[in-house]
Amino acid sequence: MRQSSVRDSRHAAGGPDGGQGRIPEQSQGEGGEPRGHRRARKSPRRRKHRILRWFSITLAVLILGTAAAGYLWYEHLNSNIKTDKLNIGEHQAAQPTPNAAGQTPLNILLIGSDARDSKANQKLGGAKETFGGVPLADVQMLVHLSADRSNMSVVSMPRDTLLQLPKCTDPKTGREYPATVGRQMTNTSLGRGGPGCTVATWEQLTGIHIDHFMMVDFAGVVSMADAIGGVPVCVDANILSKDSQGHGSGLKLAKGTHPVKGKQALQWLRTRYGFEDGSDIARTKAQHMYMNSMVRQMRENATITNPGKLRTLAEEATNALRVDEGLDTVKKLYDLSNELKKPAPDRITMTTMPFVYVGPRVAPKPGDADKLFRLVREDVALDGKDKKKSPPKESDDPAAPDNEIAVQVQNGTRTAEVPAASGRANTVSQILTAKGFTKATADQSQLLSEEKTVIRFPSVDLEGDAQRVAKSLGIPLSSVKKSTDVSGVTLIVGDDWREGNSYPKASKDDDTTPDTALALNGSDEKACMKVNKNFTW
């Protein structure tokens, strides 16, 4: 008769017969060993090996199961990602020259679409009559990450900016959209074949090579804000963005700082009526404040490292974004995010493209806009904290005789405000020929846009030749740059040399950010939007 279930349990689990039978109680001695015919115990080492073996098997099963689940989730996230071609225009801006360490800047165009192509977007965006219509690129921000990853510059372009749009070809339908003769609002570029035309528009205007684009719609903004957990924003008075005719985003906030997420975050980003003068410029300022705050929030909020939070954020991000084909996997997006988080907030500078009013619209401001684009193109930090660059050295590679140096001359005098100066490629090639560069030729096939005259060469064995051309024309060596976008020594006549036979005496470059760029530092936690007194409550 059994006297205790505990004792039976011990016999079944750990008796000397390995659990194959019960040993009668009267035959046991102390410790559960049978009297008279005690069997040898298993050594501690053998028991340890047995435990380790089972532990290893269990761990292997868990690892394989987790890896399989992780792989399936990874593939699931990849399937969420939607892609389009990067640039569907006729021409691309030249890639930047690597620095001394071989590093190059990274330029990403952020696009906010007002597409009302789903029930969620329709509910959030309103304007029922536009359902399924051609989307507009109502938010456009160029994010520039410096070559050494020490700083970041962001340039916003107001959606009302008037520009000549380039020829674009829809990659899905093959439809061609001819270059516009007059100027049109830049936000219409999205409807000319997709985000690749918005990229082409930026490259044509700025001469900045764009590496990637990322586009998000109304529903995407809401889901991302929710996944982050809210973004703190500030208003200097109570605000209600709604006028007597119903115009406005509907944003309602009390004076002070408040975290916004979901629909309220979208309202903040879309608010025009109620901020400052009610212009698109004021809305751009609010967007900059939101982005700065979001960056600080993701850096400082420890909960974002929570696996559940990260999983949710990954799910929402991959669902929300449309990207170029170079960002078509989670790994590529993850690698990009690691690059973007390197600059500290105090090295992030938000700016707005300097502008002038053209009726109710705006256009790039001559001089200031070009200067801002040049600073970004030349990888100059907009916060003014760059180390002074040493002057370029003369090449160790000796130049060939002048009459053996082939030089292609192109006209890059076109700007966003004025057309190209006629005949500049021919004129400069003739100047070179007269100086003994008999192989100089004018390339009339394309009209480019360069603020400053530049000489590009494809490989180190042509650096000496390119510098020789620069010296003969009085062009500074800082304007001689290596680029794989050219096949030989190529001189592009810039907007700084629109007339005359002599290159203008170079003035010392001023690398300060124009005041008209409305710069905002990423670490500024005191920034607060001014509320129009007609929209308070």
Side-chain angles (χ1 to χ4, degrees), residues 289-346:
M289 290 183 187
Y290 180 93
M291 286 191 66
N292 281 342
S293 184
M294 182 176 68
V295 170
R296 293 194 300 268
Q297 186 77 355
M298 294 187 72
R299 281 175 172 270
E300 298 168 5
N301 188 350
T303 59
I304 206 67
T305 61
N306 177 283
K309 281 269 188 182
L310 286 175
R311 186 183 182 95
T312 300
L313 187 56
E315 185 75 36
E316 297 298 346
T318 53
N319 269 316
L321 295 174
R322 180 175 291 275
V323 297
D324 65 276
E325 294 169 332
L327 295 175
D328 60 351
T329 67
V330 172
K331 183 181 184 307
K332 293 176 182 177
L333 287 170
Y334 176 77
D335 290 344
L336 177 62
S337 70
N338 279 339
E339 294 296 296
L340 292 173
K341 71 181 183 183
K342 289 180 179 178
D346 65 348

Side-chain angles (χ1 to χ4, degrees), residues 99-376:
N99 62 15
Q103 302 165 308
T104 54
L106 194 59
N107 296 303
I108 304 103
L109 185 64
L110 304 182
I111 304 171
S113 164
D114 78 339
R116 291 167 173 82
D117 53 358
S118 68
K119 290 183 178 179
N121 281 330
Q122 179 65 64
K123 182 177 179 181
L124 293 166
K128 295 180 180 180
E129 70 280 2
T130 64
F131 184 81
V134 178
L136 300 171
D138 274 359
V139 177
Q140 298 177 40
M141 293 184 182
L142 179 67
V143 177
H144 171 84
L145 187 61
S146 66
D148 63 4
R149 305 303 189 252
S150 66
N151 65 88
M152 180 189 296
S153 303
V154 179
V155 180
S156 287
M157 185 188 296
R159 68 168 188 169
D160 295 343
T161 302
L162 296 173
L163 298 174
Q164 287 184 311
L165 305 182
K167 175 184 176 182
C168 293
T169 304
D170 190 321
K172 297 175 182 176
T173 65
R175 177 180 174 181
E176 290 188 357
Y177 295 84
T180 61
V181 177
R183 297 189 294 186
Q184 294 186 11
M185 283 174 55
T186 182
N187 63 350
T188 62
S189 60
L190 185 59
R192 294 165 54 85
C197 192
T198 306
V199 170
T201 300
W202 271 79
E203 291 202 356
Q204 174 177 279
L205 171 67
T206 66
I208 298 169
H209 176 80
I210 295 175
D211 300 282
H212 299 292
F213 76 77
M214 303 175 75
M215 185 169 73
V216 65
D217 58 17
F218 293 150
V221 170
V222 170
S223 62
M224 288 290 289
D226 286 346
I228 292 169
V231 176
V233 295
C234 175
V235 287
D236 69 352
N238 298 346
I239 182 174
L240 175 58
S241 178
K242 190 73 71 175
D243 65 11
S244 58
Q245 296 178 324
H247 298 141
S249 70
L251 176 71
K252 185 176 183 180
L253 286 175
K255 177 181 178 180
T257 300
H258 309 274
V260 294
K261 60 181 181 178
K263 184 177 181 180
Q264 199 172 45
L266 178 64
Q267 289 174 330
W268 175 273
L269 294 169
R270 298 187 65 210
T271 293
R272 213 167 36 134
Y273 296 96
F275 285 156
E276 299 187 354
D277 61 356
S279 69
D280 198 48
I281 308 305
R283 171 162 49 192
T284 297
K285 289 183 182 179
Q287 292 168 351
H288 289 170
M289 290 183 187
Y290 180 93
M291 286 191 66
N292 281 342
S293 184
M294 182 176 68
V295 170
R296 293 194 300 268
Q297 186 77 355
M298 294 187 72
R299 281 175 172 270
E300 298 168 5
N301 188 350
T303 59
I304 206 67
T305 61
N306 177 283
K309 281 269 188 182
L310 286 175
R311 186 183 182 95
T312 300
L313 187 56
E315 185 75 36
E316 297 298 346
T318 53
N319 269 316
L321 295 174
R322 180 175 291 275
V323 297
D324 65 276
E325 294 169 332
L327 295 175
D328 60 351
T329 67
V330 172
K331 183 181 184 307
K332 293 176 182 177
L333 287 170
Y334 176 77
D335 290 344
L336 177 62
S337 70
N338 279 339
E339 294 296 296
L340 292 173
K341 71 181 183 183
K342 289 180 179 178
D346 65 348
R347 296 301 315 275
I348 298 174
T349 307
M350 298 279 183
T351 65
T352 300
M353 178 198 74
F355 62 91
V356 292
Y357 281 103
V358 181
R361 311 301 181 195
V362 299
K365 183 176 183 178
D368 284 5
D370 292 331
K371 180 180 180 182
L372 182 64
F373 297 148
R374 176 183 65 80
L375 294 177
V376 174

Side-chain angles (χ1 to χ4, degrees), residues 410-443:
Q410 297 175 337
N411 189 342
T413 57
R414 177 180 53 79
T415 72
E417 295 80 31
V418 294
S422 178
R424 291 307 291 165
N426 270 328
T427 298
V428 175
S429 65
Q430 289 170 8
I431 294 170
L432 282 170
T433 300
K435 289 180 176 290
F437 294 88
T438 54
K439 290 188 176 181
T441 58
D443 176 10

